[in-house]
Amino acid sequence: MRRYGKHTDEDDIRSRPNRKGNRPRTHIRPKHADAAEGMVLTVDRGRLTCLVEDRVVMAMKARELGRKAAVVGDQVALVGDLSGKKDTLARIVRIEERTSVLRRTADDDDPFERVVVANADQLAIVTALADPEPRPRLIDRCLVAAFDGGLEPLLVMTKSDLAPPDKLLELYGDLDIPYVVTSREELENGGAADRVREQLDGKVTAFVGHSGVGKTTLVNALVSVERRRLTGHVNAVTGRGRHTTTSALALPLPDMDGWVVDTPGVRSFGLAHVDPSRVIQAFPDLESGTEGCPRACSHDEPDCALDEWVAEGHADPARLYSLRRLLATRERTEGD
């Protein structure tokens, strides 16, 4: 150990900079005007895979963004090494304003919401007609999340070779939701994928569904072979599927202008984040009738003006029933 005596000069002592305080603090953030534009394709343990022009670039979030997190579908600005070469890392310095968000909470009493996908145009709600049985309450919850987040819904029914779609279609006929019915045989020969693909051109479509409904199988039929994901099976005892998609992933549609986002299978879809007043925006034929509603009307109470609006013939009673069923879905569990 080096000892310093009484004749030690200050030049003999090497000063060590204070790592926490060696830079002056500032609230001025760099603007990064030269940053490149990119799209987040997937997120895995703090590393974000982004598409920058025609290159796939690995990136991390800049500290200056604070707690703000980028998710699949986000349009971002990146700096640093944008070559896309192995072991290189860029930095996301800005997250652009989102046009839509698909959000969910773990449960209805969970205050912490999670953004699943950003900037999607459409939400494809995939449900099997059998094996496992359809869960209308879960479909309702996905519809509420789509309407709340600014996404257009699309209902995709699989395994029609096991059960007919008539009963399920009757539940959603008054909502005017576009739908596609597929069978396992059609998935194998490509016919189902072609019909679904017609609904996806020019759009970013997020796919969501209960585990085991064939969501990832359908996504695999839509994308190129080298981009396909592992698929699972339905447990014969519990009737539940095995989660094979562990993180959301954006995949380009070959030979067309569109993207699909495969999301992990869900067994619940919490709606604690949803403001019920926003759900009415998905019912333009009813929205005008709410002008006479009392303040903070739930649209399912004695003084709601929608009852008189419908009674006067301005809208179909079935539409009001559908609205109230969706609003009430927050009070029920998916298994009801």
Side-chain angles (χ1 to χ4, degrees):
M1 177 183 295
R2 183 176 180 183
R3 298 181 180 273
Y4 299 103
K6 62 181 180 178
H7 299 297
T8 302
D9 188 85
E10 63 181 21
D11 291 335
D12 294 327
I13 303 175
R14 179 180 296 174
S15 62
R16 301 181 67 182
N18 183 345
R19 292 187 178 182
K20 292 185 178 180
N22 59 351
R23 288 187 179 181
R25 291 181 177 271
T26 177
H27 293 291
I28 302 175
R29 295 181 177 180
K31 295 184 178 180
H32 298 294
D34 58 343
E37 297 180 354
M39 172 184 174
V40 178
L41 301 180
T42 192
V43 182
D44 182 21
R45 291 170 291 185
R47 293 291 185 264
L48 299 96
T49 304
C50 304
L51 180 67
V52 180
E53 295 179 349
D54 59 348
R55 303 181 305 282
V56 175
V57 174
M58 191 67 69
M60 63 181 295
K61 185 188 72 172
R63 292 179 62 185
E64 62 202 59
L65 291 179
R67 297 176 63 87
K68 188 175 183 180
V71 301
V72 173
D74 264 325
Q75 298 295 320
V76 295
L78 303 97
V79 299
D81 194 329
L82 305 177
S83 65
K85 296 179 180 178
K86 185 180 178 180
D87 298 328
T88 60
L89 193 63
R91 192 159 48 102
I92 294 176
V93 295
R94 187 170 61 250
I95 302 173
E96 307 297 351
E97 185 177 353
R98 293 164 175 166
T99 58
S100 70
V101 285
L102 176 63
R103 300 174 294 175
R104 62 178 287 238
T105 55
D107 297 293
D108 285 345
D109 57 357
D110 185 351
F112 301 103
E113 67 181 60
R114 181 169 67 92
V115 178
V116 182
V117 180
N119 301 319
D121 305 297
Q122 188 171 232
L123 179 64
I125 304 167
V126 185
T127 181
L129 294 166
D131 189 32
E133 292 296 315
R135 296 173 61 183
R137 298 291 79 80
L138 179 60
I139 297 173
D140 286 352
R141 287 169 170 265
C142 293
L143 287 172
V144 170
F147 294 146
D148 179 72
L151 290 77
E152 294 292 330
L154 169 68
L155 187 58
V156 180
M157 289 166 278
T158 63
K159 305 183 184 181
S160 63
D161 49 313
L162 301 181
D166 308 66
K167 186 176 180 180
L168 197 60
L169 285 174
E170 186 177 350
L171 281 174
Y172 298 99
D174 295 314
L175 288 173
D176 297 326
I177 299 172
Y179 65 88
V180 180
V181 180
T182 70
S183 68
R184 291 179 296 184
E185 181 181 352
E186 289 177 313
L187 276 177
E188 293 174 358
N189 62 32
D194 290 339
R195 292 206 309 280
V196 174
R197 195 176 284 111
E198 293 175 1
Q199 302 285 343
L200 310 181
D201 193 14
K203 300 176 182 179
V204 177
T205 304
F207 279 68
V208 66
H210 181 43
S211 302
V213 298
K215 174 177 57 64
T216 298
T217 300
L218 178 58
V219 169
N220 284 345
L222 294 168
V223 302
S224 55
V225 175
E226 64 272 14
R227 297 180 183 274
R228 292 181 179 176
R229 308 185 77 164
L230 293 175
T231 57
H233 64 280
V234 176
N235 187 298
V237 176
T238 65
R240 292 182 174 182
R242 178 170 61 89
H243 291 287
T244 53
T245 302
T246 58
S247 60
L249 173 65
L251 299 163
L253 290 168
D255 304 321
M256 64 189 304
D257 181 21
W259 289 79
V260 296
V261 181
D262 190 16
T263 66
V266 296
R267 289 181 177 146
S268 64
F269 208 105
L271 298 174
H273 62 284
V274 173
D275 180 353
S277 65
R278 292 200 293 264
V279 180
I280 187 66
Q281 296 174 12
F283 296 79
D285 52 333
L286 296 175
E287 190 171 11
S288 299
T290 63
E291 294 179 0
C293 287
R295 186 175 182 180
C297 180
S298 66
H299 305 310
D300 193 13
E301 55 191 64
D303 295 332
C304 178
L306 287 176
D307 290 293
E308 183 178 354
W309 177 264
V310 170
E312 292 174 351
H314 297 295
D316 189 336
R319 292 280 287 168
L320 179 57
Y321 170 78
S322 295
L323 167 67
R324 286 175 172 169
R325 192 184 80 216
L326 291 183
L327 290 173
T329 195
R330 287 189 59 181
E331 307 301 325
R332 303 189 300 264
T333 62
E334 287 90 332
D336 289 347

